[in-house]
Amino acid sequence: VASEGFEVIEGSPELDAGGWHQTWRVLPIVVPVPVSVTMRQAKLALSRAIVLGRANTAISAMPGQAGEEARIEWEYATTLRRDHPLVAGLGQALGLTAGDIDALFISAAAIP
């Protein structure tokens, strides 16, 4: 029986001097990280992860021109790219690892 997140691949039966043998391979299922998600999906994923309020606070607190541009992106952008500087800055402000951010993007992409 395979665990969630793994797939089992059945090999071909083989006959040797000891009789018939069956093999299986258990491989992890790799879900690709989306390049982008809609801003709606991103905010819903953050909300479901219970960090949307902290994200809003962090963006509000960003100083200077970079903060102004981050607030404009946050409010008016229709998509959010994984490689956008806002994602890295927000992830750092929230104490998220690259793996955490990838998981949020995967989660966001699954929201219809």
Side-chain angles (χ1 to χ4, degrees), residues 37-72:
V37 295
T38 68
M39 189 60 84
R40 177 187 152 277
Q41 289 172 312
K43 289 180 180 180
L44 284 170
L46 288 168
S47 175
R48 291 175 184 182
I50 320 296
V51 293
L52 180 59
R54 289 179 43 220
N56 288 330
T57 300
I59 289 171
S60 294
M62 290 179 179
Q65 184 62 32
E68 186 69 24
E69 290 179 13
R71 286 183 286 282
I72 290 168

Side-chain angles (χ1 to χ4, degrees), residues 3 13 19 24 31 33 36-37 40-41 53 58 81 86 96 109 112:
S3 296
W24 292 269
V31 178
V33 178
S36 67
V37 295
R40 177 187 152 277
Q41 289 172 312
R81 291 185 53 86
L86 175 62
L96 301 175

Side-chain angles (χ1 to χ4, degrees), residues 11 17 19-20 22-23 28 37 40 42 57 63 67 75-76 78 80 83 86-87 91 96 100 105 108-109 112:
W20 285 98
Q22 180 67 53
T23 59
V37 295
R40 177 187 152 277
T57 300
E75 186 171 346
Y76 299 107
T78 57
L80 185 62
D83 61 357
L86 175 62
V87 172
L96 301 175
D100 294 335
F105 265 75

Side-chain angles (χ1 to χ4, degrees), residues 89-102:
L90 190 55
Q92 184 177 13
L94 297 176
L96 301 175
T97 66
D100 294 335
I101 295 170
D102 289 346

